[in-house]
Amino acid sequence: LDHVDECIAQSEEWFYKNKIELMQMKKGAVTGYGINYITALEGDMKLAETFRQPIVAYEMEEFIHGPNMAYGKDHYIFLLLSDEHERERANDILHFFEPVTNHIFVITNESGNYNGKDLRFV
């Protein structure tokens, strides 16, 4: 709670930086692991309400076992990353989808630059 104002400012900055691309979204997925799977479920609902487009939530590891076959260059993928035991596998999943779509957005509180479309809470 001590950082709510900073998180809002970072989120707004990220949105305006990616606004043109985000406003073109027609379908996508939000994925997370561990406690962030619950965050992905909430993100799914909020994105659907905001963008009025079909969005689904998946547990990150399950996402690559089937749903990925329906995804192509016009799909948007939001990866929620945190420092949990699944973290190392998340990089593999990120790289798995890089040839599929350019619309990959990483949301995290970790340092690093994933693809330039990161939302990093610091």
Side-chain angles (χ1 to χ4, degrees):
L1 291 174
D2 293 337
H3 302 282
V4 169
D5 292 337
E6 294 168 51
C7 290
I8 291 171
Q10 291 168 346
S11 298
E12 288 176 345
E13 180 182 337
W14 175 83
F15 172 76
Y16 288 114
K17 180 178 131 186
N18 295 287
K19 179 180 177 179
I20 293 171
E21 183 176 359
L22 289 169
M23 295 303 289
Q24 295 174 27
M25 181 174 62
K26 299 293 182 208
K27 51 193 165 187
V30 183
T31 68
Y33 51 82
I35 196 164
N36 278 326
Y37 173 57
I38 304 305
T39 308
L41 292 170
E42 181 69 18
D44 160 0
M45 182 174 60
K46 294 303 180 195
L47 280 171
E49 290 172 346
T50 304
F51 287 94
R52 311 294 285 170
Q53 301 295 346
I55 305 292
V56 294
Y58 288 96
E59 192 281 329
M60 193 172 288
E61 188 70 33
E62 294 299 318
F63 187 51
I64 64 169
H65 295 289
N68 65 299
M69 291 184 276
Y71 279 66
K73 64 182 180 174
D74 58 338
H75 281 80
Y76 285 56
I77 300 172
F78 298 86
L79 302 173
L80 308 179
L81 307 183
S82 61
D83 187 18
E84 296 183 53
H85 67 277
E86 298 97 334
R87 176 64 188 88
E88 190 173 309
R89 182 78 170 120
N91 280 332
D92 296 336
I93 293 170
L94 170 65
H95 297 308
F96 179 84
F97 281 104
E98 286 173 338
V100 176
T101 181
N102 291 324
H103 307 294
I104 301 172
F105 300 88
V106 174
I107 301 169
T108 187
N109 66 343
E110 297 182 353
S111 61
N113 185 4
Y114 297 95
N115 64 5
K117 298 179 187 180
D118 321 338
L119 172 53
R120 285 192 44 244
F121 294 106
V122 292

